[in-house]
Amino acid sequence: MNLKPVETPRAKPVRVQGGEQQPAPVVEPKANRTRVVPKPDVSNAKTARVDQLPMTNQSWFDQKAAPEQPRPEQHRQTQRPEPQQPAEQKRPEQPPIATMRVDQLQRRQPARFEQAQRPARPEPAQQPPEKLPVTGYDEDPEDRLTDDEPKKSRKVLAVVLSLLVVAALAGATVYAVSELGGPEAVETKPPAPPADVRQLVKAATAGAPAPSPAGVKQALTGPAGNGVLGTLTGSVVDPANAAALWQQGDTTPATPASSLKILTAAAALLSLERTDQLSTKVVQGAEPGTVVVVGGGDPTISGAPGRSVYPGAASLDDLVNQVRQKGPVTKVLFDLSRYTGEALGPQWEQADIGGGSVAPIVPFMLDGGRVDQTDVNSARTGSPGQAAADAFAQRIGAPGATAGSAPAGAPVLGEIKSAPVEQLVDNMMQISDNVLTEAIAREIAIKTGNEPSFAGGVKAVRDVLTKNGFDLAAASFVDGSGLSASNKIPAKLLTDVLTAAAKPTLDDPRTAKLRPLLTALPVAGGSGTLAGRYTGGSAAGRGWVRAKTGTLTGVNALAGVVVDVDGRVLVFAFMSAGGANPETEVRPALDVMAAALRGCGCS
């Protein structure tokens, strides 16, 4: 059989040894490219080898296999006429290994034509292997690759590519295959040096230099003498050794305002389980179609999911959906019997009631009684229980709700739960939430066997703190939130509680329980009621001071912890009475005092 060149208009002659010209194979465009395999010279069967087959720009396994062509039976049996070729043909030169293309780095195959006569290879029982496309020549049966050949070649390619990747990562120069077949040197840069990381925040440790009373006194003399502070009492303590570093009327009772929440939070962490949750239920009423919402003491229920000021709050819609699945509702009652006594605290200022500071304390309400559930300082409703029950009735498709009692042992139709107690404590401290604080005080009362009222909550807080070794002999308070101006406690009581929470070791059994109290404190210039403070002269304390604020008419307080420049944790409590303008003068002056402790090595 004679070799026939492919008839293409752009074929260029290529001269081979012996002077005979043959057309060059045509390389199709990239999208339709197929492998072009010129016919090897088999005239000298003992020296022709597979690795002498010229390769195209891409290796054969990068191409899609052409459909199997039918092969006539006589094609196997008829011996192919030898093509007329020059008697001698030199083996094509291989390019240097440094410039060979990836598709030329194939494993050399053993010679296939070492014998002129070979027995016919048996055909497999299943479908014949796919045939590689060729252009311009008939196919010799002996030229066909076996099924194992592609797999072996793929393994070889994988090894080669892996070596190239390793070389690239090592910063070597890698030769890439160009589109026209030639190598292109791709220079890879070595990896960048590691970043220079400098630790700016040091871990607080008891091993840091201990400040001295004289050093702290010197640091606070100027800030504490600011006349805008009025009557100032306070205390600074090193919790690592319980040493008192600065004292000014620290045992004299003064109005703490909202810094009293430190005592309520501590009593909650010492008496309640951190994972306890407040449950609000709907039970079946005495009449068909009647349901009763039973208040469980959770004031954080969200009336608009995703828009609450209380992270992790339960949703009223969830409760409605649970009840709706149990059947139609024609009447809604709400039961507020969990709490007893007055709903408003003694000696609370009228401006605080409903004006953004507090609402009547009842065991069922939405968003702390806020009119705008997204605004921490929103005005409060005067009847939060009725408003919450009406919202439930409207969403369930019943007329307005009325007050009532749940039948004993009534089946539960729906239930939602608050965030855990530890998170509730964090919420109330961050935004200084008075409603949530009074609700937690009543839960402490229920836990300790006291009545869930203002008086019962106060007694429960005192009992828990006294039981845990704190001296409350000089303390007198009538609520849990600090809204009453009649509350009086010494600064030393605040620093005693904070010292127990901030001890560097857990030898004191109170410390592990009280530790969340520290993380609940707002961060200076960063969160809660301190987010907008610590600018100007107090900027050094930003991020280093964590403290609970307190503000009433003529009263300002700040109590918390600070890490000094040596990495030593200090606790402090400052209370000012009778000072000048609280927002523009007194609060900044207290911030300067805490910032002075931050800058104090004071050893």
Side-chain angles (χ1 to χ4, degrees):
M1 180 181 297
N2 293 328
L3 302 178
K4 297 179 181 181
V6 177
E7 296 181 2
T8 58
R10 299 181 61 183
K12 295 182 180 181
V14 178
R15 183 175 298 277
V16 298
Q17 186 174 1
E20 184 177 352
Q21 294 183 352
Q22 293 184 358
V26 176
V27 179
E28 294 293 333
K30 184 175 181 181
N32 301 319
R33 188 177 300 173
T34 57
R35 179 172 178 256
V36 182
V37 183
K39 180 63 184 176
D41 181 12
V42 296
S43 59
N44 189 2
K46 294 185 178 181
T47 60
R49 298 190 338 201
V50 173
D51 58 1
Q52 292 176 335
L53 296 177
M55 300 296 294
T56 61
N57 189 40
Q58 292 184 334
S59 56
W60 61 267
F61 43 78
D62 290 334
Q63 307 298 329
K64 293 182 179 179
E68 181 71 11
Q69 301 293 333
R71 117 181 331 174
E73 196 65 23
Q74 64 272 18
H75 186 70
R76 291 183 176 277
Q77 300 174 359
T78 305
Q79 185 174 1
R80 181 194 300 265
E82 296 183 357
Q84 296 181 1
Q85 295 289 346
E88 296 182 359
Q89 181 177 359
K90 292 184 178 180
R91 175 179 175 180
E93 293 185 358
Q94 297 288 345
I97 190 65
T99 60
M100 289 180 70
R101 301 191 307 272
V102 173
D103 56 3
Q104 291 175 329
L105 297 178
Q106 297 189 17
R107 181 174 60 85
R108 297 181 181 274
Q109 306 292 338
R112 295 194 178 183
F113 305 104
E114 294 180 355
Q115 296 182 1
Q117 300 293 331
R118 293 182 62 181
R121 186 179 290 118
E123 291 291 330
Q126 56 270 43
Q127 183 180 358
E130 294 182 343
K131 178 181 178 182
L132 294 177
V134 295
T135 303
Y137 299 100
D138 293 333
E139 183 187 10
D140 191 313
E142 296 294 329
D143 285 344
R144 296 189 62 184
L145 299 175
T146 64
D147 290 342
D148 293 336
E149 296 294 335
K151 298 179 181 179
K152 295 179 180 178
S153 298
R154 287 187 178 91
K155 292 181 180 179
V156 172
L157 180 65
V159 173
V160 172
L161 294 178
S162 299
L163 293 175
L164 291 176
V165 171
V166 172
L169 293 176
T173 298
V174 180
Y175 287 89
V177 180
S178 69
E179 193 64 28
L180 298 178
E184 292 181 352
V186 180
E187 184 177 357
T188 60
K189 298 181 180 180
D196 183 15
V197 179
R198 299 181 180 180
Q199 184 177 2
L200 299 180
V201 179
K202 299 179 181 179
T205 173
S212 65
V216 174
K217 180 179 180 180
Q218 181 179 1
L220 292 181
T221 297
N226 192 335
V228 302
L229 292 173
T231 302
L232 176 68
T233 61
S235 171
V236 178
V237 177
D238 183 350
N241 52 26
L245 300 175
W246 182 84
Q247 299 163 304
Q248 182 168 307
D250 62 321
T251 59
T252 303
T255 302
S258 283
S259 65
L260 180 69
K261 290 182 175 70
I262 291 176
L263 303 186
T264 306
L269 294 172
L270 289 169
S271 62
L272 304 177
E273 294 295 330
R274 295 186 186 183
T275 56
D276 284 350
Q277 295 173 284
L278 305 179
S279 173
T280 302
K281 300 178 182 179
V282 175
V283 300
Q284 184 174 314
E287 302 174 357
T290 300
V291 298
V292 183
V293 182
V294 182
D298 179 12
T300 69
I301 300 172
S302 174
R307 301 176 59 190
S308 174
V309 299
Y310 303 111
S315 169
L316 180 67
D317 286 342
D318 186 13
L319 187 62
V320 170
N321 292 334
Q322 292 181 43
V323 176
R324 182 181 287 123
Q325 294 175 4
K326 302 298 172 52
V329 175
T330 58
K331 186 177 181 181
V332 174
L333 304 177
F334 61 99
D335 186 344
L336 304 181
S337 61
R338 183 175 181 84
Y339 294 165
T340 61
E342 297 294 328
L344 296 176
Q347 304 179 28
W348 282 0
E349 294 184 10
Q350 192 61 39
D352 293 328
I353 301 172
S357 295
V358 72
I361 309 303
V362 293
F364 176 50
M365 66 175 74
L366 301 180
D367 302 293
R370 290 174 176 83
V371 176
D372 181 358
Q373 62 269 21
T374 64
D375 184 4
V376 172
N377 298 315
S378 168
R380 313 292 177 111
T381 177
S383 53
Q386 182 70 59
D390 287 342
F392 177 87
Q394 180 183 9
R395 300 183 193 191
I396 203 72
T402 57
S405 299
V412 177
L413 305 178
E415 180 182 13
I416 53 176
K417 294 184 178 182
S418 71
V421 164
E422 183 176 340
Q423 187 170 349
L424 294 178
V425 169
D426 187 273
N427 289 348
M428 85 178 200
M429 297 290 282
Q430 285 289 325
I431 62 177
S432 195
D433 194 282
N434 298 305
V435 172
L436 180 54
T437 305
E438 296 298 347
I440 290 178
R442 282 160 173 75
E443 295 305 315
I444 300 172
I446 294 173
K447 181 76 172 184
T448 57
N450 292 284
E451 68 174 17
S453 63
F454 281 101
V458 168
K459 183 177 184 302
V461 170
R462 295 183 65 96
D463 289 348
V464 170
L465 294 179
T466 301
K467 179 181 178 181
N468 282 273
F470 299 106
D471 183 7
L472 278 78
S476 173
F477 50 98
V478 295
D479 60 26
S481 60
L483 270 179
S484 177
S486 63
N487 294 328
K488 302 292 181 180
I489 64 172
K492 184 178 184 302
L493 176 57
L494 294 176
T495 52
D496 284 349
V497 173
L498 291 169
T499 295
K503 287 184 177 181
T505 64
L506 300 180
D507 298 337
D508 188 335
R510 302 172 300 178
T511 303
K513 291 184 177 182
L514 291 176
R515 198 69 103 196
L517 178 61
L518 302 182
T519 57
L521 297 172
V523 178
S527 67
T529 54
L530 287 182
R533 291 171 59 167
Y534 283 81
T535 59
S538 60
R542 290 176 67 89
W544 299 103
V545 174
R546 302 187 74 123
K548 182 68 196 76
T549 57
T551 301
L552 287 174
T553 302
V555 173
N556 287 273
L558 190 68
V561 297
V562 60
V563 180
D564 70 12
V565 292
D566 290 332
R568 192 85 168 190
V569 176
L570 305 177
V571 302
F572 64 88
F574 304 131
M575 291 189 286
S576 165
N581 189 304
E583 292 189 8
T584 61
E585 295 181 324
V586 180
R587 292 178 188 174
L590 293 175
D591 294 345
V592 169
M593 292 188 67
L597 293 177
R598 159 61 188 165
C600 173
C602 301
S603 56

